[in-house]
Amino acid sequence: MDVRAKVIFVLLPFFLLISNAYGADFKPPLHLKWVTKLKKEKAVTKRPYQFASPAVTEDAIYVGAASGYFYALSSKSGFKIWNAKLKGGVYSEPYVDTDNVYIADRKGIVYALNKKNGQIEWQIETGEEISSKPAVDNDVIYVATTQKHIVALDKFGRGKKWQTSKVGSLQQITIKGSSSPLMYNGNIYVGYADGTFNCFKASNGELVWSKQLSDRASQFIDVDSTPLILDGVIYVASMDGKTHAISPADGSVIWQADRGGPNDVVTDGEKLYITGGGRLAAVDPKNGTILWEHNFHDIEISSPAIKDGFLSLISTSEKLFVVDDKTGEIKYNRYLGKGSFGKPVIFGDVIYILTNSSSLFALQGS
């Protein structure tokens, strides 16, 4: 055997190890890899709540908690690499780039945290609560406030570029959480708690169109779902129990399905998966036909994470479920940290979930 062949032979197990680490199949049953306790929120009620979801990279997990602490943890061990104390609680997912982590808190402050050590590089106050993930495009960060504003910020901390004008008023009672902005073809698309879905110019915040999606007669009308773009069509759910396929050009409704809720619509590229009212449904994106449905019997559930033919979702009170994406059949379930109001994230063959017990779980597929 020549030297080159020997080198290839020796290195082959290493490449297979790397492939298995990040390209491994995700399938049930799941096994606990690690669990890390995060600082709890000081609440009057006995039961804590968590609404945030983690962002996962090959090396680290970045996640905020309702207590106002933001963490970077080792994806291998769950060891806390660093933490930063913010002024408000975190109810959303961060945006991570090469150098920084961008996150907003409920005090309406947007932060750029150094990815290596958690140092606050800059912070900008918007004056209104933010409970959704920032959108980043080139040198601009866009955040949606719970008071019906889109705020454009300079990515390097040089302040606001523009802010949209508020149109109309909000309901007296709204659902916790809000839609994250979607960037598409030079526009920003976002839902509001008054049941409208809106399109703004990304360059200056000018309103292009606004569409009332929810039935105003319903008890809750929020459009808190982050919009999804698939094959040039936008899909978004509303709290009155519907999902809408919308033309990005003018906001016209292509079809409407009687399934939906506060959670994001997700896709595997062929089907849409919609949760709300304790039900999970697979829907045809072409016409809104319901292909199958599973009723979790009054348990409210999260948006699903999708990988390798399985959907993973968690209830707001107790269990994690893994479901077959072709039939909706439950393949695995597990009691997990009092449930979560956030959503699970899958990276490789590991699922990460921040639960209402303020614990971050890493569960590995077999």
Side-chain angles (χ1 to χ4, degrees), residues 21 51 65 68 118-119 141 152 158 173 177 197 202 221 223 229-230 233 240 242 251 255 259 278 291 295 315 321 323:
F51 294 85
Q119 177 181 329
I141 299 172
R158 293 188 286 253
I173 301 176
F197 189 68
I221 63 173
V223 180
I229 187 79
L230 176 65
V233 177
D240 61 347
K242 294 180 175 62
W255 56 254
R259 297 292 183 273
L291 304 173
N295 193 334
S315 77
F321 299 93
V323 175

Side-chain angles (χ1 to χ4, degrees), residues 146-182:
T146 59
Q147 298 300 309
K148 297 178 60 179
H149 284 123
I150 299 292
V151 183
L153 306 171
D154 180 86
K155 188 180 178 183
F156 304 101
R158 293 188 286 253
K160 292 183 183 179
K161 287 181 172 288
W162 52 256
Q163 178 173 311
T164 58
S165 300
K166 186 166 69 174
V167 179
S169 59
L170 291 172
Q171 302 281 99
Q172 288 187 341
I173 301 176
T174 62
I175 298 297
K176 186 69 70 178
S178 61
S179 172
S180 297
L182 167 71

Side-chain angles (χ1 to χ4, degrees), residues 326-338:
K326 295 180 179 63
T327 64
E329 179 186 357
I330 294 176
K331 295 295 186 180
Y332 175 83
N333 68 81
R334 177 180 184 138
Y335 284 94
L336 202 64
K338 300 181 181 179

